[in-house]
Amino acid sequence: MAGMAGRMSTVIKSKISKLLDKAEDPGETLDYSYQKQLESLQNVKKGIADVVTAKKRLGMQAQKLEQSVVKLDTQARQAVAQGNEELARTALERKQFAQTELQSLDQQVAELQSQQDKLTESEKRLRTKIESFRTKKEVIKAQYSAAEAQVRISEAATGVGEEMADVGLAMQRAVDKTEDMRARASAVEELEAAGTFEDLTQLGSGQDDIDRELAALGTGGMVDDELAKMKAELGQGSAPPAAELESGEEKP
Amino acid sequence: MIVRIMGEGQYRLADDVRERVNELDNAVVTAVDGDDEDAFHAAFEEMLDVIRKQGEHLGDEEIETSDVIVPPADTSMAEATAEFSGDGLIPD
């Protein structure tokens, strides 16, 4: 079978042969293989724990983003109430951006959850196979000549090695995904840490890198809609700005 | 023939099923070569479906080496292009 399936088989088989090459003495192969299998199982457990930790961390980053969305919405409302449309627009643009990131983060955390579930299943399968290998190893030791035992144990070790390679690849994919997400979430955090989410009065002071980035996102239409809605809710249209809120630094 | 779907376990396939899987595997490669994402997903998902439904699932305690290993179900077109294009090394 050529193509994807054939190629994948080749990749996995080369991984397994590297794994098995380390055992040279036929007499040692059995116990060595079993020992290696137990070690791999420990690594799988550790890998799953890492995925769980990373997922929690991403969940916390998502919570922070949620708070930013709420805060920016409040700030936009205040700006509308003060009649500072430009400030409101900037806050809403940032809110849109944070919201888009939040949605993608939520979705990715959900994907990570499903990968974690699969990994847990795979770990269980590997554990069962290793246990089965242990039983088989004793039978082979007792019943076969050295040469024949070598052939049989090599077959069995390859079978378990394949299961390990499978879990290993799944783990690698989960880790890669986690790292992508972490980088993305950190980028958003950096935007926030730039201070501009904190102090709205700074927003009016002209175009910075973030403003240009936001403009490039083309959220303008959505921002216009939301701004109009906010104005309507606050009873503004042609009405003058509400005076009861303490006036911040007004935009010229 | 024994087939492993990465992340899902192993299946034993009868000869006629093997033929069908082989056809679909070739269709996947054609789709990847032609950069046709829809065709890739259609062929790949059908291939997995045939293996799961028409193959016999091996128990976890059985230790067998697979003749063929199929990439995980969530393999994207980009991953397939990067890693699995070309002829493969096992002859038809």
Side-chain angles (χ1 to χ4, degrees):
Chain A
M1 192 168 304
M4 279 179 88
R7 183 67 173 267
M8 190 80 198
S9 304
T10 310
V11 170
I12 297 298
K13 274 168 190 159
S14 87
K15 276 185 203 289
I16 297 166
S17 72
K18 269 186 206 152
L19 205 73
L20 298 179
D21 275 351
K22 286 174 187 158
E24 285 166 4
D25 179 355
E28 282 176 6
T29 310
L30 285 167
D31 294 330
Y32 178 85
S33 297
Y34 182 59
Q35 205 52 46
K36 278 285 152 203
Q37 288 164 12
L38 291 180
E39 281 171 26
S40 298
L41 192 59
Q42 284 309 313
N43 285 338
V44 170
K45 283 180 181 163
K46 191 178 161 294
I48 293 174
D50 288 347
V51 171
V52 172
T53 308
K55 200 188 66 194
K56 278 188 190 150
R57 199 177 301 139
L58 285 168
M60 275 154 59
Q61 283 175 314
Q63 270 181 350
K64 273 171 126 181
L65 268 182
E66 258 166 49
Q67 288 165 3
S68 296
V69 169
V70 172
K71 191 165 69 188
L72 286 164
D73 186 80
T74 308
Q75 289 172 331
R77 275 170 205 280
Q78 284 171 348
V80 170
Q82 289 167 7
N84 191 339
E85 185 166 323
E86 194 160 335
L87 208 55
R89 188 178 292 278
T90 309
L92 285 175
E93 278 168 358
R94 280 162 200 234
K95 181 188 153 192
Q96 290 282 357
F97 178 64
Q99 233 162 6
T100 309
E101 285 303 306
L102 183 61
Q103 277 167 6
S104 125
L105 197 60
D106 281 345
Q107 192 196 340
Q108 286 171 324
V109 169
E111 277 172 30
L112 203 56
Q113 176 66 51
S114 98
Q115 277 178 322
Q116 181 195 326
D117 294 344
K118 278 188 199 155
L119 273 177
T120 308
E121 275 295 301
S122 303
E123 190 258 347
K124 188 173 145 248
R125 202 156 53 220
L126 182 60
R127 194 157 16 101
T128 309
K129 280 219 193 314
I130 291 175
E131 182 52 30
S132 179
F133 180 88
R134 192 182 65 82
T135 314
K136 200 165 182 173
K137 160 172 101 83
E138 296 311 315
V139 172
I140 292 170
K141 268 183 180 172
Q143 292 186 351
Y144 295 94
S145 69
E148 203 174 348
Q150 179 65 10
V151 172
R152 286 178 186 266
I153 204 62
S154 157
E155 281 168 10
T158 306
V160 180
E162 193 184 296
E163 199 70 47
M164 273 192 261
D166 187 344
V167 184
L169 184 89
M171 195 103 75
Q172 190 55 52
R173 284 163 68 88
V175 167
D176 288 350
K177 183 153 254 174
T178 313
E179 274 162 13
D180 281 356
M181 275 185 267
R182 200 182 299 166
R184 230 189 133 83
S186 301
V188 178
E189 273 190 351
E190 271 169 33
L191 276 185
E192 204 189 10
T196 37
F197 283 2
E198 294 296 327
D199 185 358
L200 254 187
T201 59
Q202 291 177 2
L203 291 181
S205 61
Q207 287 257 314
D208 57 14
D209 286 352
I210 303 167
D211 288 322
R212 279 189 285 276
E213 194 173 331
L214 289 169
L217 286 173
T219 52
M222 283 189 288
V223 169
D224 284 340
D225 291 349
E226 199 166 359
L227 192 58
K229 206 171 125 209
M230 237 173 221
K231 279 183 177 171
E233 278 171 18
L234 290 168
Q236 290 188 1
S238 53
E244 69 266 27
L245 274 160
E246 200 177 312
S247 191
E249 207 174 291
E250 291 286 345
K251 263 276 301 170
Chain B
M1 182 175 75
I2 293 177
V3 173
R4 169 184 298 276
I5 301 176
M6 294 296 278
E8 295 181 32
Q10 292 170 299
Y11 296 83
R12 186 174 278 118
L13 303 190
D15 287 348
D16 57 330
V17 182
R18 180 207 157 113
E19 273 311 300
R20 181 69 190 129
V21 170
N22 197 11
E23 282 166 26
L24 290 164
D25 183 43
N26 291 337
V28 170
V29 173
T30 306
V32 170
D33 286 346
D35 202 21
D36 185 343
E37 183 141 16
D38 290 341
F40 163 74
H41 284 293
F44 186 48
E45 271 147 40
E46 193 180 346
M47 177 164 90
L48 294 175
D49 213 45
V50 169
I51 296 169
R52 291 184 194 122
K53 288 191 179 142
Q54 298 181 37
E56 176 205 344
H57 195 273
L58 257 61
D60 288 354
E61 68 289 343
E62 285 188 64
I63 302 177
E64 297 283 354
T65 310
S66 304
D67 300 295
V68 157
I69 299 173
V70 177
D74 62 351
T75 300
S76 66
M77 173 84 171
E79 284 175 305
T81 307
E83 294 181 40
F84 308 115
S85 60
D87 298 333
L89 295 175
I90 297 175
D92 267 291

